Amino acid sequence: MIKCGLFIRLEAKPGKEQAVADFLTAGLELTNREASTPIWFALKLSPTTFGVFDAFASEKDRQAHLAGNMAQALMSRVDELLASPPSVEPVDILGMKNRLD
């Protein structure tokens, strides 16, 4: 059962919007390697604002993701890509619908 998640907001530096989008697109491969990250979305919220939503079965899995390859890759490029440090908001999952037709 999915119990907890993260919402991460990323504000691109001027002129780095496409680089942030490309980074997030490539991030799917990194997160696919994380067995404890079953749900991961990369989002474009506005022309300069991006986000990531991911969800986990446990707090242990959430912490493993925060210490994983995707998080490390992002933090290594913060100064290059982002106008400010990422906003990382832990969230509790109250309900979920996951249906693909």
Side-chain angles (χ1 to χ4, degrees):
M1 173 182 255
I2 301 298
K3 297 180 181 180
C4 54
L6 292 167
F7 179 73
I8 301 153
R9 184 178 294 264
L10 310 166
E11 188 65 33
K13 281 186 175 179
K16 295 293 185 175
E17 299 85 357
Q18 188 59 52
V20 173
D22 293 344
F23 173 83
L24 291 174
T25 300
L28 178 59
E29 183 179 333
L30 289 174
T31 18
N32 277 338
R33 296 179 195 161
E34 296 179 3
S36 61
T37 305
I39 297 173
W40 186 85
F41 291 92
L43 312 166
K44 184 173 183 179
L45 303 170
S46 78
T48 62
T49 307
F50 298 83
V52 172
F53 172 76
D54 35 27
F56 315 91
S58 69
E59 179 62 28
K60 179 181 172 186
D61 293 342
R62 177 165 50 191
Q63 293 304 316
H65 176 69
L66 285 170
N69 290 333
M70 180 61 184
Q72 289 177 9
L74 174 61
M75 295 313 290
S76 74
R77 298 190 65 194
V78 165
D79 291 338
E80 172 195 350
L81 298 176
L82 303 181
S84 59
S87 167
V88 180
E89 301 175 41
V91 298
D92 293 328
I93 307 299
L94 302 176
M96 183 177 111
K97 179 180 179 183
N98 185 14
R99 180 179 169 181
L100 299 173
D101 293 321

